Amino acid sequence: MIQKRKNPTPPKPPANKRRRRKPGGRKNYQHNKPAEQTKPAGPTKPAVPQIPTFPGAPKLKIMVMGGLEEVGRNMTVLEYEDDIIIIDMGLQFPEENMPGIDYIIPDITSLIPKSKNIRGVIITHGHYDHIGAISHLCPKLGNPPIYTAPLTAELVKRRHEEYKIAPLNIHKINPDTEKLQLGKFNVEFFRVTHSIPDSFGVVANTPVGSVVHTGDFKIDFNPVNDKPIDLTRIAQIGARGVLALLSDSTDAPHSGYQLSETEITGDLEKIFLQSEGRIIVGTFASMINRMQQLIELAEKYDRKVLVEGRSMNTNLEIAQNLGIIKTKKGTIIEEKEFKRLPDNKLMVMGTGAQGEENAVLMRIANADHKFLKIKEGDSVVFSSSVIPGNERTIQSLKDTIYRGGGKVFHYQNMDIHAGGHAKAEDLRLIIKLLNPKYFVPIEGNHFMLRIHGEIAEHLGMPKENIFIASNGQIMEFMKGKNQNETSGRLTTEKVPTEYVMVDGLGVGDVSSIVLRDRRMMADDGMFVVIVTVKRKTGELVGSPDIISRGFVHMKESKQLINDSRDLVRKTVGKAKNKNFDPMFLKNKLRDHVGELLWKKTKRRPMVLPVVIEV
Amino acid sequence: MIQKRKNPTPPKPPANKRRRRKPGGRKNYQHNKPAEQTKPAGPTKPAVPQIPTFPGAPKLKIMVMGGLEEVGRNMTVLEYEDDIIIIDMGLQFPEENMPGIDYIIPDITSLIPKSKNIRGVIITHGHYDHIGAISHLCPKLGNPPIYTAPLTAELVKRRHEEYKIAPLNIHKINPDTEKLQLGKFNVEFFRVTHSIPDSFGVVANTPVGSVVHTGDFKIDFNPVNDKPIDLTRIAQIGARGVLALLSDSTDAPHSGYQLSETEITGDLEKIFLQSEGRIIVGTFASMINRMQQLIELAEKYDRKVLVEGRSMNTNLEIAQNLGIIKTKKGTIIEEKEFKRLPDNKLMVMGTGAQGEENAVLMRIANADHKFLKIKEGDSVVFSSSVIPGNERTIQSLKDTIYRGGGKVFHYQNMDIHAGGHAKAEDLRLIIKLLNPKYFVPIEGNHFMLRIHGEIAEHLGMPKENIFIASNGQIMEFMKGKNQNETSGRLTTEKVPTEYVMVDGLGVGDVSSIVLRDRRMMADDGMFVVIVTVKRKTGELVGSPDIISRGFVHMKESKQLINDSRDLVRKTVGKAKNKNFDPMFLKNKLRDHVGELLWKKTKRRPMVLPVVIEV
């Protein structure tokens, strides 16, 4: 019997996770209060009582630890009795209200006590939102074996070298032919197309049924420098029966079909045809296929290629070694030859199409590069779509390039028209071919999952079989009394999935309080009041000191500082007492000075009173 | 004789203004170092020697004070002998690297000594980037007469009420019929279409020739609730001869024609046809025509309208009083009736389609509104395109709405498809009709001006007659020896156009140093080290105090704090001396502690040493 339960809609995350989001306009630092990082503390207690089911029947549990409430920090855990496999371990770039944070990684609190059960970590492809947390998390999980395709393996290794810790336990696999037995999970792979080669999807065959995880994918029958997505294979997997499909939702809100990467070649070629000066292309170092495309165009139009930027050179080297990027002898040149050749024989390929700080394009535009700067006649190509949040930075970069004499070619829609992710119609096809019993949209903001869920519903899937989950929310699948029937449910339990923030060498040491203080000081600065008083009596010694930063220009605000100092003196005078309490004085100073500053400036700097007793 | 000069390309701003832009990815606070605000200090000295011309010939000078390097703080100054007119006085929203700043207004240093020459301030329409600086600047310029259309006049007055200072000197004009003689400027107007009614362009007839300023405009033959742009009038103005055209460049990078506002009605109507629950629309309070459109649809589909948000209610009231918005009796309802009616008879109109903090849509989504929150069946319409920089905030707002049970309709392209600004083909038409001798693209980032300039060049305008200027760069126009000929030039002189930042009550009191400190504390927090020492000897008294905020979670970093305290003790010990110098100790403390913290954390909090001598 199939256990039919109405999926409680709207699927709200449990209260402890329901971060109250107050997105804002400008002064929006005070929003999105991230929860304090939780310390690993053994298995977590279920937040709500379990809904009764078939007691004793072994369950397959799926927990998507990250990527259900954001684009990034993708990580999925499959657990069956004492066996665990993990798919992807990615990072998320920080949100606007997290100043100073480098990135966010998944919370593995619930996994640490079960480390010995982890049979393998499967990495679908080499983008940071799928590999970026490996070096932080694998060492804490007993260094489990990592299984991935050759290019991804090399990218993971290179990134790991930066950490100067014990090497990872990486196994290269051939996704076309290989199968793995990881505990009770029999795992197969299927090639998909994406904006990086060697991307695959995962089929985890379990005693309860087959779970398919697509990874990031698009349907491209004419990819550049890559094999097409293996739809036949996907159809065969579907024909065998799929219990649950976890599928990429990143581009679900966009209707229609994704275009082939081949479509871009035409656009790029136009630039080569019309440019009489140098061609300078900014792109992501991970866009290996775009690199090959550009190199081929350069060869066709008799230009030599200077590759700038450490990450781009590293990735080029890796891809060349694996035979993924092919270049003719002499195409790639160094500084010396670059300087000798005429402009119309040159192409520069570097990082920076997102306006990233210190990226090659930025350094060239700002004339900070050691030998390159923009000059009259340069054609500068932004070869990637704009990541939300970078728009103003890119506008300003374009201004700088135009000021330098360059011309900008920005196919803003280049990666929308031929991006790396399947659009609505593609997603329909994949759902149809795999024909799963349960459907779990993954990899996207909540609204993207919802739209992807609607696509499945329109295809006739029962609404209660579509699980729009929150990060860490536990899904369970088990055999019914009739062994041919399997039922699944989205429970209301969840494992912890707090933000774990990486800042410099610190992992998880920036708490919500630290961030709140950063935002407060960013908005209105701080104001330190230091008074020296006699121990016990609290009588003022000398003059109060005031130090302020980020609040007002001090030299021009003498009156305000004097007024504050007078108020401090008065406050100390009132607080002096036989039973002098420095804590009481501190609070009074904070309140009184804060009030004065607000009245005079309508700003709220952080007021820090310091009472020194001598 | 036409004085032909090759316009020095690329048009670089003079060195003192050439802000080095280093747009960045995440930690990008350290870029765009805004120059320190300049104090009003009489007329500025030319940065470079003037290029010789016809000495003694009276010149028309045009200085665009803001809007040539950004979208925002639009302000143009025309000066002929002792007469000055100003067109628009807008604000600019702060850039990413200006935490805590409310907005930026134009720098009027060069105008203050000439206040008595200002014959009038003409305001083309009621958007903040054209009116937002009036209340700050007009009082400092001797309260010159302001001339504008009725709706704009009312919007300016309402905004001014917040400042509780002397009233402005506003004169309402009828742009269709009225002419003004402002000193030697004979000024006429022509109606344009834009996303707010009562928008017009300006023709300033001067002894040297006619200057046309388009304001913001689009070409809309079927506007909603507004008269179409007066192309016949524009053609007639062109036929009389135009010396210089200053034209809106905001949408120049987009090819093709702008669509009519009427096109949107169809999209909106679909939502009314299919929604069975409430319809909640978030838009800008200034989108008066969109409001009318929504009200008409509500009336057609038998829904009542609740208008939420102070600015939206204010604007509705103003527009109703002027007869610009027309509603049937009973369409607009209050809370009490709203609560009585069934969901399918309701529409809510509020602010917040940009995810602005405290806007109505945000409060409803977060259940912070006094009686509204999202529920199952709600259709939430984002009725404006996304302003660059707000993308992530809006994604997060959509998540919240979906979690609450609502469905989001976001015509992301709504305002791209039918936005308020002319696209490339429209701009060609305007240039052709006005047929100016000189062309000055305005209102946009530098690259937008360049693209607009190329449009004019492709139409056959000589490149040297197209002035791509920087903010404040002086353009001069004068009669030649033959009185029928007039020549113009873009000089290399400029008037000051520094950022004047408004933060709370402060105007211009946030300097580049204050901003740098805010960014530094936002990234890595601060670390105050307080030592009490004996006067003269520098011997340590008691234990050093350490106060840190926004750096690390202090409770979990005891070791680091102890290490720092030990280092402080050691540093004080070394500095104690017969000729103890507290400044020397401070510097040592800053260096040593900063170094330790960087080594241990790879973060650079602001280290503030305080030495108290007792």
Side-chain angles (χ1 to χ4, degrees), chain A residues 98-111:
Chain A
M98 302 176 181
I101 298 301
D102 298 335
Y103 49 85
I104 304 154
I105 57 175
D107 179 351
I108 52 167
T109 310
S110 62
L111 279 170

Side-chain angles (χ1 to χ4, degrees), chain B residues 280-300:
Chain B
I280 300 171
V281 187
T283 187
F284 289 114
S286 65
M287 292 188 87
I288 310 272
N289 293 338
R290 188 67 49 85
M291 274 195 238
Q292 174 72 58
Q293 217 170 350
L294 288 162
I295 288 168
E296 279 173 18
L297 281 169
E299 287 171 344
K300 182 169 173 187

Side-chain angles (χ1 to χ4, degrees), chain A residues 9-13 20-32 36 69 92-96 99-102 254 355-357 362 366-368 376 387-393 395-400 402-407 412 445-448 450-451 454 470 503-506 508-511 513-514 517-518 521-526 528 530 532 545 547 549-553 556 599-603 606 608 610 612 614, chain B residues 9-13 20-32 36 69 92-96 99-102 254 354-357 362 366 368 376 387-393 395-400 402-407 412 445-448 450-451 454 470 503-506 508-511 513-514 517-518 521-526 528 530 532 541 545 547 549-553 556 599-603 606 608 610 612 614:
Chain A
T9 42
K12 281 183 189 161
R20 211 181 235 201
R21 290 198 177 243
K22 293 191 198 176
R26 295 293 144 198
K27 280 200 175 185
N28 57 359
Y29 286 126
Q30 58 272 45
H31 320 130
N32 295 19
E36 190 105 38
E69 300 173 19
Q92 179 197 349
F93 288 105
E95 310 204 0
E96 289 160 11
I101 298 301
D102 298 335
H254 292 111
E356 304 95 321
E357 194 184 356
M362 196 69 41
N366 288 315
D368 281 342
E376 196 72 22
I387 293 177
N390 294 348
E391 290 77 4
R392 291 182 74 135
T393 305
Q395 285 192 342
S396 147
L397 175 59
K398 286 186 194 172
D399 284 350
T400 313
Y402 269 103
R403 284 192 189 284
K407 203 176 155 79
Q412 279 187 296
N445 276 59
H446 183 76
F447 77 92
M448 300 170 183
R450 289 289 294 257
I451 291 168
E454 282 167 17
S470 294
D503 179 3
L505 295 182
D509 67 342
V510 174
S511 64
I513 296 162
V514 172
D517 288 347
R518 286 184 184 178
M521 291 188 290
D523 270 356
D524 288 325
M526 55 91 171
V528 186
I530 303 161
T532 312
D545 274 306
I547 299 168
R549 293 287 187 276
F551 169 50
V552 287
H553 199 57
E556 292 165 16
K599 211 180 106 197
K600 296 277 183 185
T601 66
K602 294 280 177 252
R603 297 179 203 168
M606 179 185 281
L608 286 174
V610 180
I612 294 174
V614 288
Chain B
T9 42
K12 281 184 189 161
R20 210 182 237 199
R21 293 198 175 242
K22 294 192 196 175
R26 293 295 143 197
K27 281 198 175 187
N28 59 357
Y29 286 126
Q30 57 272 47
H31 321 129
N32 294 20
E36 190 106 36
E69 299 172 20
Q92 179 196 350
F93 288 106
E95 310 204 0
E96 290 160 8
I101 298 300
D102 299 333
H254 292 111
Q354 295 296 324
E356 303 95 321
E357 192 184 355
M362 196 70 41
N366 288 316
D368 282 343
E376 196 72 21
I387 293 176
N390 294 348
E391 290 77 4
R392 291 182 75 135
T393 305
Q395 285 191 344
S396 148
L397 175 59
K398 285 186 193 173
D399 285 351
T400 313
Y402 269 102
R403 284 192 189 284
K407 203 176 153 78
Q412 280 187 294
N445 278 59
H446 183 77
F447 77 93
M448 300 170 184
R450 289 289 293 256
I451 291 168
E454 281 167 17
S470 294
D503 180 1
L505 295 183
D509 67 343
V510 174
S511 64
I513 296 162
V514 171
D517 288 347
R518 286 185 184 178
M521 293 188 289
D523 270 357
D524 289 325
M526 56 92 170
V528 186
I530 304 161
T532 312
V541 178
D545 275 306
I547 298 168
R549 293 288 186 278
F551 168 49
V552 288
H553 199 58
E556 292 165 16
K599 210 179 107 196
K600 297 277 183 185
T601 65
K602 294 280 177 256
R603 298 179 203 169
M606 180 185 282
L608 286 175
V610 181
I612 294 174
V614 288

Side-chain angles (χ1 to χ4, degrees), chain A residues 368-381:
Chain A
D368 281 342
H369 189 276
K370 63 183 192 297
F371 63 93
L372 285 170
K373 65 175 182 180
I374 299 293
K375 63 179 187 181
E376 196 72 22
D378 283 349
S379 296
V380 181
V381 185

